[in-house]
């Protein structure tokens, strides 16, 4: 039943994209020009009547995290069905590119799977008049480890083994370390094809933070949005690495759970809990609920725990932030920005996330997000 709801939601998103006028995001050079979200004449849903448009109108451009694209598609469908004077184009060109677009004044807001760095906050003063950019946590979820191993449907891996796989230290699927974790599996001698993101990505940042925190002896890299380990192969965006896993025997990669829906199996992760943990929105929520707000002032950046010990808490999670100016947002796009962010932070907007393969932001944090959005100027 849940899968049916998920498919209906995704179909609705695609329908809105197909019937809406295409809005080119010329300021943001994305390689994936067909995957932006557009709206304006999408089919209304039962819940669209409660969305407040206020004075929202015009074209709203945004860019960044590809992990949240499926959530953005669903939100845009509902929002533009209710607010027909607004068209929204979200370019999923990666967290790093999205932040760059924003601080260069090319977009109304950015999506990033990592909170802004101090130097990025400083740079944002150029576009945020007499102010700075802030992080608004909006989408949570597990980073799934997708695999394509012939004859294997269920696979358990732990942090040390994952670190060695993605650092090209474990090269075949019948390696002793993998066999130890999967004694009943018929593991082939197939060569491991590890794929990572070619673009700067908050998903990469969070995945490597997990490896560094959970297995520091095996993952010696500093981490960040750019992939640092040697070896492996690369692809653009979450959709790119997911597609490589789907079509390549022996492949493994990391991506947001919603990209694992089309027949891709995902790894159960062994933690210090009694049983390996599956990548589900519910299990990610258990981990995100333990996050702490570490941002200053109205910045709501979170600190995640990559080594949860609670039973069922999935350790590889991310939070996607919408990045806006606290003050000094462009006057022509501020009403549409506030109206859209108000909707997606609402109980109604957050309520769509589980069916789309994401984890809603914990209530106490979402409440702070709504208060902050209301104060944007």
């Amino acid at each position: 039943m849940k899968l049916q709801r998920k498919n209906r939601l995704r179909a609705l998103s695609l329908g809105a994209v197909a019937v809406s006028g295409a809005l080119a995001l010329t300021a943001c050079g994305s390689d994936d020009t067909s995957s932006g979200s557009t709206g304006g004449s999408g089919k209304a849903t039962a819940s669209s009547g409660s969305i407040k448009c206020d004075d929202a109108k015009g074209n709203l451009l945004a860019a960044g995290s590809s992990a949240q694209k499926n959530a953005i598609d669903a939100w845009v469908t509902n929002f533009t069905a209710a607010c027909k004077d607004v068209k929204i184009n979200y370019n999923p060109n990666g967290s790093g590119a999205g932040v760059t677009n924003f601080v260069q004044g090319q977009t109304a807001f950015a999506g990033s799977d990592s909170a802004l760095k101090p130097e990025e906050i400083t740079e944002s003063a150029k576009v945020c008049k007499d102010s700075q950019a802030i992080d608004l946590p909006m989408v949570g979820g597990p980073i799934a480890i997708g695999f394509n191993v012939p004859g294997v449907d269920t696979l358990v891996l732990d942090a040390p083994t994952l670190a060695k796989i993605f650092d090209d230290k474990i090269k075949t699927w019948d390696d002793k370390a993998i066999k130890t974790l999967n004694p009943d599996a018929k593991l082939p001698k197939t060569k491991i094809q590890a794929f990572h993101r070619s673009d700067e990505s908050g998903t990469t940042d969070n995945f490597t933070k997990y490896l560094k925190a959970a297995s520091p002896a095996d993952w010696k890299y500093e981490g960040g949005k750019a992939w640092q380990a040697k070896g492996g192969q690369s692809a653009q965006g979450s959709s790119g690495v997911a597609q490589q896993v789907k079509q390549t025997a022996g492949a493994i990669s990391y991506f947001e759970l919603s990209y694992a829906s089309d027949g891709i199996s995902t790894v159960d992760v062994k933690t210090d809990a009694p049983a390996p943990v599956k990548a589900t929105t519910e299990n990610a929520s258990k981990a995100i609920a333990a996050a702490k707000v570490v941002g200053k002032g109205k910045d709501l950046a979170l600190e995640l725990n990559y080594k949860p010990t609670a039973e069922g808490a999935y350790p590889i999670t991310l939070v996607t932030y919408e990045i806006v100016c606290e003050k000094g947002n462009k006057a022509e796009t501020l009403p549409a920005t506030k109206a859209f962010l108000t909707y997606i932070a609402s109980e109604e907007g957050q309520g769509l996330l589980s069916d789309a393969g994401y984890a809603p932001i914990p209530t106490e944090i979402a409440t702070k997000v709504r208060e902050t959005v209301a104060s944007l100027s």
Side-chain angles (χ1 to χ4, degrees):
M1 191 71 177
K2 187 170 182 179
L3 179 60
Q4 291 176 344
R5 291 197 304 270
K6 181 175 174 182
N7 288 338
R8 287 199 302 268
L9 194 105
R10 195 169 280 168
L12 179 62
S13 300
L14 293 174
V17 173
V19 300
S20 301
L23 178 63
L25 189 58
T26 55
C28 303
S30 168
D31 292 334
D32 187 3
T33 57
S34 64
S35 57
S37 302
T38 61
S41 59
K43 185 182 296 183
T45 65
S47 60
S48 63
S50 62
I51 297 173
K52 295 182 179 180
C53 304
D54 295 326
D55 297 321
K57 60 182 178 180
N59 297 336
L60 193 62
L61 304 183
S65 163
S66 64
Q68 71 167 354
K69 179 188 179 296
N70 293 331
I72 290 286
D73 283 350
W75 282 331
V76 167
T77 296
N78 279 3
F79 183 81
T80 55
C83 304
K84 298 184 184 299
D85 291 332
V86 180
K87 289 185 177 181
I88 300 175
N89 183 281
Y90 181 79
N91 182 359
N93 58 350
S95 297
V99 171
T100 297
N101 294 151
F102 177 77
V103 297
Q104 291 178 349
Q106 298 171 350
T107 54
F109 68 91
S112 176
D113 303 323
S114 299
L116 291 166
K117 296 178 180 179
E119 59 268 27
E120 292 172 332
I121 292 176
T122 299
E123 188 178 2
S124 72
K126 298 176 182 178
V127 68
C128 303
K129 299 177 181 177
D130 300 320
S131 182
Q132 66 177 45
I134 56 175
D135 300 284
L136 301 177
M138 204 70 75
V139 181
I143 300 174
I145 309 299
F147 68 93
N148 180 350
V149 182
V152 179
D153 296 322
T154 301
L155 188 69
V156 175
L157 296 175
D158 58 12
T161 307
L162 282 166
K164 291 171 186 175
I165 286 173
F166 281 92
D167 197 24
D168 202 29
K169 299 293 176 57
I170 293 178
K171 299 180 182 294
T172 61
W173 282 109
D174 63 346
D175 187 273
K176 181 179 179 180
I178 302 176
K179 283 184 175 181
T180 300
L181 291 166
N182 301 271
D184 298 326
K186 295 182 180 179
L187 296 164
K189 297 181 180 296
T190 306
K191 180 181 178 181
I192 294 174
Q193 306 280 356
F195 286 89
H196 58 265
R197 291 279 292 272
S198 60
D199 51 321
E200 289 199 356
S201 161
T203 311
T204 294
D205 190 18
N206 283 277
F207 176 56
T208 55
K209 280 180 179 177
Y210 159 74
L211 295 177
K212 188 173 180 64
S215 190
D218 300 295
W219 194 258
K220 301 292 187 179
Y221 304 97
E222 294 182 3
K225 294 176 182 177
W227 185 258
Q228 296 173 350
K230 297 179 181 179
Q233 302 177 64
S234 65
Q236 173 81 19
S238 294
S239 59
V241 290
Q243 183 61 30
Q244 289 298 328
V245 170
K246 187 174 182 179
Q247 68 187 22
T248 306
I252 186 170
S253 191
Y254 56 92
F255 37 78
E256 204 280 329
L257 180 62
S258 65
Y259 290 91
S261 62
D262 298 324
I264 299 177
S265 299
T266 60
V267 168
D268 296 345
V269 179
K270 188 179 185 302
T271 66
D272 289 336
V277 186
K278 293 186 178 297
T280 67
T281 57
E282 293 82 2
N283 290 343
S285 293
K286 293 178 182 178
I288 295 172
K292 298 179 181 179
V293 177
V294 294
K296 297 179 180 179
K298 292 186 176 181
D299 185 277
L300 299 176
L302 302 177
E303 182 178 80
L304 297 171
N305 178 12
Y306 294 102
K307 297 180 66 177
T309 57
E311 186 172 355
Y314 186 76
I316 319 175
T317 58
L318 61 75
V319 170
T320 301
Y321 301 90
E322 312 311 334
I323 295 169
V324 292
C325 295
E326 180 180 350
K327 299 178 181 178
N329 291 281
K330 296 178 181 179
E332 62 271 23
T333 57
L334 180 59
T337 299
K338 291 184 68 172
F340 183 64
L341 295 181
T342 295
Y343 163 60
I344 69 177
S346 69
E347 290 185 13
E348 180 182 313
Q350 290 290 300
L352 293 178
L353 292 179
S354 293
D355 283 344
Y358 299 90
I361 297 300
T363 301
E364 61 274 17
I365 298 175
T367 298
K368 294 179 180 179
V369 171
R370 291 193 284 268
E371 293 171 352
T372 302
V373 171
S375 70
L376 298 177
S377 62

